[in-house]
Amino acid sequence: MKMLINVPETVVADALRGMAAAHPELTVDVENRVIVRRDAPVAGRVALVSGGGSGHEPLHGGFVGPGMLSAACPGEVFTSPVPDQMVRAAAAVDSGAGVLFIVKNYTGDVLNFDMAAELAEDEGIQVAKVLVDDDVAVRDSLYTAGRRGTGATLFVEKIAGAAAEEGQPLERVRSIARQVDESSRSFGVALSASTTPAKGSPTFDLPPGELELGIGIHGEPGRERRPMMTSREIADFSVQAVLDDMEPRNPVLVLVNGMGGTPLLELYGYNAEVQRVLIERGVPVARTLVGNYVTSLDMAGASVTLCQVDEELLRLWDAPVSTPALRWGR
Amino acid sequence: MLDADFFRRWMTAAAASVDREADRLTALDSPIGDADHGSNLRRGFRAVTATLEKEAPDTPGALLQLAGRQLISTVGGASGPLYGTLLRRTGKALGDAPEVGEEQLAGALRAGVEAVMALGGAAPGDKTMIDALVPAVDALGTSFEAASAAAEEGAVATTPLQARKGRASYLGERSIGHQDPGATSSALLIAALVEARR
């Protein structure tokens, strides 16, 4: 597999150097792997710190900036960052108003953020945490590590970021973040496996005529495999899987998210089918976002995330945001 | 009696073994995980040996705690905190004695394994590193060789199990038929005990 890299060992550092060059509005600490909005700490404002494995770009570094994250810490490819990075990030952005850790529900992310929270508190930083676990493909938590955190991470980071930006206190920002997570559900499909730089070949074998239903964002296979389906059939299946798990009474935010290897031409076409299913099911759509936001390296495929919003969540979603990957309203 | 130098040799042997077997660990992690277990552990254990070359604490307990902290700071993922906790808590349980007996090591390692179970919430049979570590600790009272054999057996015995913890758990029944990479690397760590005594 051909990749635009030097050697696997420096992939993350090389990307951070390039990111720093492209985004002078961010402070990028390449050595310690922390990306911080340049004006941090912002006096009197709660800071948001998120992080996870690399390979999900633009998540999380691409979401650092006014109106969203204060800092992000990228780990190795598909590997959670280490507590040192998270503590460093928290110390860089804490204004005294406290820090919210936004954690996707994967064992590694949870363990490292837990350790980081303890260490940060030892340094006198007030820390709250929110766990994102929106993936309906993982059915129950008794016999698994619980639902994965996937597309809803973007909704949580954007909406909680807006709440922090307008000066809401830590406990309130945390409860808004939790509300967003509880109101969100996702389902993803893969048309091809991803290729990690360390392995250099696809992480699992997916024949050309088949697809995986119910995938996460780490190149792992999904819930089941079927013969290839049309965009229409995939939308029917995916939206059904999400709506089996939530019955929206309010309008929803829609994220049609590419896994990194699917072009916008296909994603927009897929979105047309997703919107059709939602109309057929009588689910009103408040806003829609289409693009590669929570990716799995070069995996072809897409996920659908719905988030049921009330007036306040919608207002916070619409609030100005200025980050490398998400930017509107100012 | 086992002194600090024995524990330094243990870590060095473990690092060499992880280095040698990194590709196999990554290959095991590929169908049920995300194909990075070998490269992550290699990075961590290389950092451990580099640190121990610069600064070698003079008690077994301090040495293992330092190694554990290094793993937490460099590995990431679930393996970092879990392996880091295993060594740190084993080191803590050894206290500050300059030398320890094999029985003391067995007891301390049991405390380390219990800390890992508490942190990760995994029990025997969940298809995790615990499936190699628990039988190893049980056999450690007999000999290092017996512990190593028990760990290896435990790792192989994870193949028919369905994963209930970690990333492999997302696959449900599809995790069956693959040996657990974490149990496999744990068996390497225990096997390194035998090498360290030579």
Side-chain angles (χ1 to χ4, degrees), chain A residues 214-278:
Chain A
I215 48 122
I217 53 172
H218 294 94
E220 68 269 45
R223 192 158 86 181
E224 60 173 296
R225 183 170 290 191
R226 287 196 186 182
M228 189 55 199
M229 299 153 73
T230 62
S231 175
R232 164 178 282 262
E233 290 164 342
I234 297 171
D236 282 329
F237 191 96
S238 297
V239 176
Q240 182 64 47
V242 169
L243 292 179
D244 278 348
D245 216 273
M246 76 188 299
E247 284 173 33
R249 268 175 249 106
N250 291 333
V252 294
L253 306 176
V254 179
L255 170 63
V256 170
N257 173 62
M259 306 310 294
T262 291
L264 272 176
L265 178 76
E266 294 172 43
L267 290 181
Y268 276 124
Y270 183 52
N271 181 49
E273 298 298 339
V274 168
Q275 302 283 330
R276 170 190 57 79
V277 184
L278 291 170

Side-chain angles (χ1 to χ4, degrees), chain A residues 48-313:
Chain A
L48 268 60
V49 171
S50 192
S54 291
H56 306 305
E57 292 70 21
L59 187 78
H60 298 275
F63 299 145
V64 175
M68 215 161 163
L69 295 179
S70 313
C73 19
E76 287 292 324
V77 172
F78 290 171
T79 300
S80 100
V82 299
D84 311 32
Q85 282 170 275
M86 298 156 181
V87 174
R88 208 177 280 268
V93 297
D94 181 33
S95 68
V99 176
L100 179 69
F101 282 166
I102 299 170
V103 187
K104 295 188 298 307
N105 190 28
Y106 285 96
T107 312
D109 293 275
V110 171
L111 294 183
N112 283 284
F113 269 108
D114 280 354
M115 291 195 166
E118 259 187 67
L119 295 170
E121 273 159 11
D122 288 350
E123 291 187 17
I125 300 170
Q126 196 191 347
V127 174
K129 284 178 291 188
V130 64
L131 199 64
V132 184
D133 57 349
D134 54 307
D135 182 5
V136 301
V138 180
R139 280 205 183 276
D140 61 60
S141 59
L142 275 179
Y143 298 103
T144 71
R147 286 181 166 178
R148 297 175 284 219
T150 59
T153 316
L154 181 148
F155 289 146
V156 172
E157 291 177 358
K158 169 64 185 80
I159 291 171
E165 199 73 30
E166 65 181 31
Q168 309 230 31
L170 183 59
E171 191 42 46
R172 180 74 191 131
V173 174
R174 189 191 62 88
S175 75
I176 287 169
R178 179 174 286 176
Q179 187 193 342
V180 174
D181 177 57
E182 285 170 353
S183 309
S184 300
R185 298 286 189 277
S186 296
F187 190 86
V189 302
L191 312 182
S192 76
S194 52
T195 299
T196 61
K199 183 155 187 274
S201 56
T203 50
F204 62 92
D205 177 46
L206 185 51
E210 295 181 291
L211 86 167
E212 285 274 345
L213 298 166
I215 48 122
I217 53 172
H218 294 94
E220 68 269 45
R223 192 158 86 181
E224 60 173 296
R225 183 170 290 191
R226 287 196 186 182
M228 189 55 199
M229 299 153 73
T230 62
S231 175
R232 164 178 282 262
E233 290 164 342
I234 297 171
D236 282 329
F237 191 96
S238 297
V239 176
Q240 182 64 47
V242 169
L243 292 179
D244 278 348
D245 216 273
M246 76 188 299
E247 284 173 33
R249 268 175 249 106
N250 291 333
V252 294
L253 306 176
V254 179
L255 170 63
V256 170
N257 173 62
M259 306 310 294
T262 291
L264 272 176
L265 178 76
E266 294 172 43
L267 290 181
Y268 276 124
Y270 183 52
N271 181 49
E273 298 298 339
V274 168
Q275 302 283 330
R276 170 190 57 79
V277 184
L278 291 170
I279 289 169
E280 285 172 9
R281 298 290 304 266
V283 179
V285 173
R287 303 286 183 270
T288 299
L289 188 65
V290 179
N292 288 286
Y293 290 105
V294 183
T295 61
S296 186
L297 288 172
D298 62 344
M299 177 182 268
S303 60
V304 177
T305 305
L306 303 183
C307 174
Q308 182 174 198
V309 288
D310 56 20
E311 273 178 28
E312 192 193 13
L313 294 195

Side-chain angles (χ1 to χ4, degrees), chain A residues 78-79 84 112 145 203 212 222, chain B residues 30 34 36 40 73 77 169-170 174:
Chain A
F78 290 171
T79 300
D84 311 32
N112 283 284
T203 50
E212 285 274 345
Chain B
S30 178
D34 53 3
D36 63 2
N40 284 341
S73 295
S169 71
Y170 300 130
R174 297 173 81 185

